[in-house]
Amino acid sequence: MKLQIAVLQTAGVPGDVEKNLAELRATARAAVADGADLLITPELFLTGYNIGPLVHELGRTDLTAAAAEVAREERIALIVGLPLFEDGHLYNVAVFIDETGEVKNTYRKTHLFGELDHTYFTAGNDLVSMVEFRGVRIATLICYDVEFPEPVRAAAAAGAHLIAVPTAQMAPFEFIAEQVVRARAWENQVYVAYANHDGHELTLSYVGRSRIVDPFAQVLDSVEHGTRTLTATIDTEVVDEARRANPYLDDRRSDLYETPQVSPAPASAVDRDSTQQIRTA
């Protein structure tokens, strides 16, 4: 199966939902004209990421419904980053909405990064969050999540073809986009779509460098800085081919990973002497 995707990199307008919705609509319309089936936005795109306490206020509004209206009217599926206040907690989420405006999945960021995330958000608890759309299995992670090997591996083991990663990656972490994202695609034989902010928000300078990487770690489309929509075709046959060529998933020793047995290394002469000194001190 094949799926045409679009990935938006933009600075957006921090704190201005209406302007960001207008950009979402314009980008969605252009993506449809270019043949895209799915548009992926950056992390917390509808509000901005580093906007202080305002994120709590905006998270209490029905941003999902506003995004669903865009999806329905423009006839394109969306993965949209937004804050969601639910059951007394604020979550950093990415919502999967199909082209009819139906919400198929809401992923809550599981790995919170730094003081900013921990100040405003509660962590989600679903390691794998996946939707099958037009024959392609799409898992969603958010920013810092992809920097841990476990979530990507779990999604790949569950059958994901594409990992969609709305992100707000800031300086000086350019190497995450340039190197880690490619490594995640290679070691799991999945496509990775990394959708980053650009520009500045308060104290943060974003690195841009959005990209779409295939299961052989080849960059299919990328941009350094500026507002741009990337495009690529996700092909499940390429995933199957990559997994035959590089069978990491098949060759895993899961029996060792579940309860690892660690054999103690023999102490060197220096270690023994150090230990003796401590004991007789």
Side-chain angles (χ1 to χ4, degrees):
M1 302 297 292
K2 294 183 179 181
L3 184 74
Q4 189 76 7
I5 68 167
V7 169
L8 174 63
Q9 174 172 295
T10 181
V13 184
D16 195 325
V17 172
E18 291 305 315
K19 287 184 178 178
N20 293 327
L21 280 169
E23 182 174 12
L24 178 65
R25 184 179 295 277
T27 305
R29 187 169 297 169
V32 169
D34 200 36
D37 304 296
L38 169 67
L39 170 64
I40 303 167
T41 78
E43 180 179 6
L44 293 175
F45 165 70
L46 285 188
T47 60
Y49 175 65
N50 188 24
I51 62 171
L54 179 59
V55 73
H56 267 284
E57 177 185 336
L58 296 178
R60 293 171 184 269
T61 63
D62 197 351
L63 299 174
T64 299
E69 182 179 351
V70 173
R72 182 175 62 254
E73 293 181 353
E74 302 304 328
R75 303 301 298 174
I76 186 171
L78 303 173
I79 295 178
V80 182
L82 53 92
L84 175 65
F85 190 81
E86 184 178 67
D87 298 327
H89 299 280
L90 186 68
Y91 296 95
N92 179 342
V93 310
V95 182
F96 191 112
I97 306 166
D98 74 11
E99 75 281 11
T100 71
E102 181 179 353
V103 176
K104 293 294 188 180
N105 187 48
T106 300
Y107 171 71
R108 296 159 182 80
K109 186 175 184 179
T110 56
H111 296 78
L112 300 182
F113 177 78
E115 183 179 354
L116 195 156
D117 267 3
H118 285 279
T119 296
Y120 297 110
F121 300 106
T122 296
N125 292 312
D126 294 325
L127 187 63
V128 178
S129 184
M130 191 156 55
V131 170
E132 183 164 332
F133 180 65
R134 300 188 182 179
V136 177
R137 291 186 291 274
I138 303 166
T140 303
L141 298 175
I142 297 176
C143 197
Y144 195 40
D145 292 328
V146 81
E147 298 175 35
F148 294 81
E150 292 88 354
V152 187
R153 176 53 53 84
H161 301 111
L162 166 66
I163 311 293
V165 190
T167 191
Q169 186 63 266
M170 70 290 290
F173 303 113
E174 292 87 348
F175 69 92
I176 300 296
E178 294 170 348
Q179 300 174 33
V180 174
V181 169
R182 291 185 65 198
R184 292 289 176 266
W186 169 263
E187 67 195 5
N188 294 286
Q189 297 81 56
V190 291
Y191 288 91
V192 179
Y194 194 74
N196 199 14
H197 287 260
D198 196 42
H200 308 274
E201 286 180 342
L202 296 179
T203 59
L204 299 184
S205 295
Y206 296 110
V207 304
R209 291 171 169 80
S210 297
R211 58 203 55 222
I212 305 170
V213 183
D214 79 3
F216 291 98
Q218 300 303 303
V219 178
L220 302 179
D221 200 357
S222 66
V223 61
E224 187 162 332
H225 286 294
T227 296
R228 189 183 148 205
T229 303
L230 313 180
T231 61
T233 299
I234 306 304
D235 188 339
T236 59
E237 291 187 6
V238 172
V239 175
D240 293 340
E241 179 187 353
R243 289 178 179 172
R244 287 191 296 270
N246 303 298
Y248 291 135
L249 296 179
D250 290 338
D251 290 344
R252 289 176 302 155
R253 287 291 309 278
S254 297
D255 57 314
L256 299 181
Y257 310 151
E258 294 297 328
T259 51
Q261 301 296 317
V262 180
S263 299
S268 67
V270 173
D271 292 334
R272 288 194 295 271
D273 290 344
S274 299
T275 302
Q276 184 64 28
Q277 290 171 6
I278 291 171
R279 288 175 178 171
T280 58

